Amino acid sequence: MNRLRSYRSNIKKAAASVYPSAVRLPTSVAGVQRLIDISNFIYPPLPNDKFKYTQPFSGPGLADVVRAAFFGESSPYQVGLQNINSFTSSLPSAPHEREVPEAMLAMAATAILAVLYDQSAKLGGPGTGAKNRSPEFGGATFDTAFKQYMGILVKLRQAAPAAHHALLHGICVHAIGKNTAVNALSQPGQDSILGAVDWANIADGSDG
C-alpha cells in the first residue's frame, strides 16, 4: 500500500512540475473551477471560455504530464521507458504505430485534476478541507475521476478508432521525443464528464 501511495505521489509531483507552466495555471478561483468543472481541462480551450468537446484528452499540458510522469530521466518516472517495447497499436491498419496505454493517459489526467484541486485549495476555493488541502490523490474523488476518464477513452476507441489511435500514438511520440534508444525500440520488430464529450461531431477518418 505504501509503495502504491508513493507511486501515485510521484505521478502527482510530475504533474505539478510541468502542468502549471504548460497552461499558465489560473490565479483566480473562478478560473481554476472552470477547468475542474466536468473536467474541462482535458479539452482544447476555445475563445470566450469555451472548450472543444470533440477532442477529449487534447487539452494543453496533458502530453507533457505523460512525458514527465512516465518517460522521465530518473527512476520513479520511467515506467513508460521501461515498458515501451510492450506498447501496441489499437488500429489494425497501423500496427507499428505504438500508443501510450489508456490507463497511463487517464492517470496523468487524474494527477492534473489533483493539481487543480490543490490550486483551488491554495486560493481558498470550494472543496477545500479543514487544513486547506485537496482530497487525497488516491481517495474516492480521484478514483471516480480515473474511471470516468477510462470510460471516455474506451468509448472513443469504439466510436472513433482512428481518432483514438491518433491521440494515443501522438502522445507516445511526444513522450519519447528525441530519445534515439527508445525510438529504435518503437520501430516495427462522473457521468457528467463522459456526457460532455461531443461524440456526434468527432471526426474519425477510419474509412480513409
Side-chain angles (χ1 to χ4, degrees):
M1 182 63 69
N2 288 335
R3 186 174 181 180
L4 180 59
R5 287 180 178 175
S6 176
Y7 182 64
R8 287 195 300 254
S9 176
N10 286 332
I11 295 174
K12 184 179 176 181
K13 287 177 183 177
S17 72
V18 299
Y19 186 72
S21 59
V23 300
R24 295 184 180 179
L25 202 62
T27 56
S28 69
V29 172
V32 176
Q33 289 301 314
R34 189 177 301 115
L35 294 176
I36 292 175
D37 185 36
I38 60 171
S39 291
N40 279 323
F41 71 90
I42 72 172
Y43 305 98
L46 293 171
N48 302 319
D49 294 327
K50 297 185 181 298
F51 296 88
K52 195 166 187 178
Y53 294 120
T54 57
Q55 294 183 7
F57 298 101
S58 295
L62 268 163
D64 296 320
V65 172
V66 170
R67 180 167 60 184
F70 304 107
F71 297 83
E73 297 180 358
S74 58
S75 180
Y77 309 105
Q78 293 185 324
V79 172
L81 292 176
Q82 294 165 353
N83 294 279
I84 187 67
N85 209 33
S86 66
F87 289 8
T88 60
S89 172
S90 62
L91 200 64
S93 61
H96 302 308
E97 294 183 354
R98 299 176 187 269
E99 305 168 2
V100 295
E102 293 171 347
M104 191 172 283
L105 179 53
M107 183 62 76
T110 308
I112 291 173
L113 182 63
V115 170
L116 290 172
Y117 270 114
D118 281 353
Q119 179 72 351
S120 178
K122 178 181 177 182
L123 297 171
T128 60
K131 295 183 179 180
N132 204 38
R133 295 177 179 175
S134 67
E136 182 186 349
F137 183 40
T141 297
F142 301 111
D143 181 60
T144 298
F146 174 80
K147 291 175 180 176
Q148 290 174 328
Y149 298 147
M150 285 297 295
I152 292 174
L153 288 164
V154 169
K155 188 169 182 178
L156 181 63
R157 172 163 34 92
Q158 296 169 342
H164 171 273
H165 170 73
L167 170 69
L168 296 182
H169 175 62
I171 292 176
C172 187
V173 171
H174 176 82
I176 292 171
K178 297 180 179 179
N179 190 318
T180 55
V182 175
N183 280 321
L185 285 174
S186 301
Q187 294 305 310
Q190 303 172 23
D191 295 340
S192 58
I193 296 178
L194 183 61
V197 183
D198 188 358
W199 299 108
N201 292 305
I202 289 180
D204 182 29
S206 57
D207 294 327

